[in-house]
Amino acid sequence: TGSINNSSGISVAGGATFDVSALSYTLGSVAAQTLRGAGNVTGAVSLASGSTVAAGINASTIGTLAFSSTLAGTSGATFSLKLDSTAGTFDLLTASGAVTLGSATLALTDIGGGSWTGTTGSFSIVHGSSISGTFAGLVDGASVAVGSNTFTLNYTGTDVTLTLAAIPEPSAYAAFLGAFMLGWVSIRRRRTAA
């Protein structure tokens, strides 16, 4: 028994459960709170303006924070997620129920500091039984820079995904330049011959 309303941060350790199922719990309703972790949150959670939900047990650890019910964002709230470009890993917020983004801010950080080395170029950062709304200023298909990498953000019926933006290989540039030069020489020869 006690109050968590005035706590600035709540950390859910890996394998631990934070049970708010008996409450009508709004994160940050009194103080700007951060709910962070790699465990499980039981019960519906709503984010108030000024609050943050973050996966991973700290700002330098990748993790998955799971919600057994719904997760509802709102304008002024923040979904804080990380990826490690060097290790090719990423945070995940997952809910068994619906996720409402509600124009919350998406804050993405690269704790690896290099080029993406993941085995897949596309991955989910938020998952729910359904996804509604968008992050503030990020429409479907928006380009998002994270460290030295650029991703395309997409909203599906059940996920928010990041896909590594295609960057042409140097050979593609060389082929384009070669084709351009060949065309230019051909036009010059025709003009000279005429």
Side-chain angles (χ1 to χ4, degrees):
T1 305
S3 175
I4 58 173
N5 285 335
N6 293 318
S7 300
S8 62
I10 301 163
S11 183
V12 184
T17 298
F18 178 53
D19 189 347
V20 295
S21 58
L23 308 171
S24 175
Y25 185 62
T26 299
L27 181 68
S29 58
V30 176
Q33 291 178 314
T34 297
L35 174 59
R36 152 182 314 283
N40 302 295
V41 178
T42 302
V45 173
S46 296
L47 305 176
S49 182
S51 63
T52 300
V53 62
I57 58 171
N58 58 45
S60 60
T61 304
I62 298 296
T64 298
L65 184 58
F67 296 84
S68 71
S69 186
T70 59
L71 175 61
T74 190
S75 179
T78 300
F79 284 61
S80 179
L81 298 166
K82 305 169 298 301
L83 61 88
D84 184 338
S85 57
T86 306
T89 56
F90 48 90
D91 281 342
L92 174 64
L93 292 173
T94 183
S96 296
V99 175
T100 303
L101 301 175
S103 294
T105 298
L106 176 62
L108 293 168
T109 306
D110 182 2
I111 61 173
S115 295
W116 180 251
T117 60
T119 57
T120 178
S122 183
F123 51 91
S124 179
I125 57 172
V126 178
H127 173 78
S129 63
S130 65
I131 300 285
S132 63
T134 62
F135 287 115
L138 296 173
V139 298
D140 188 48
S143 289
V144 179
V146 185
S148 62
N149 301 283
T150 301
F151 295 91
T152 302
L153 182 122
N154 290 108
Y155 304 98
T156 70
T158 58
D159 292 280
V160 177
T161 62
L162 291 179
T163 303
L164 186 62
I167 299 172
E169 294 290 324
S171 60
Y173 290 117
F176 175 74
L177 182 59
F180 174 76
M181 291 302 292
L182 185 59
W184 183 75
V185 167
S186 176
I187 290 171
R188 295 273 298 164
R189 283 187 179 169
R190 286 185 190 160
R191 286 187 181 168
T192 305

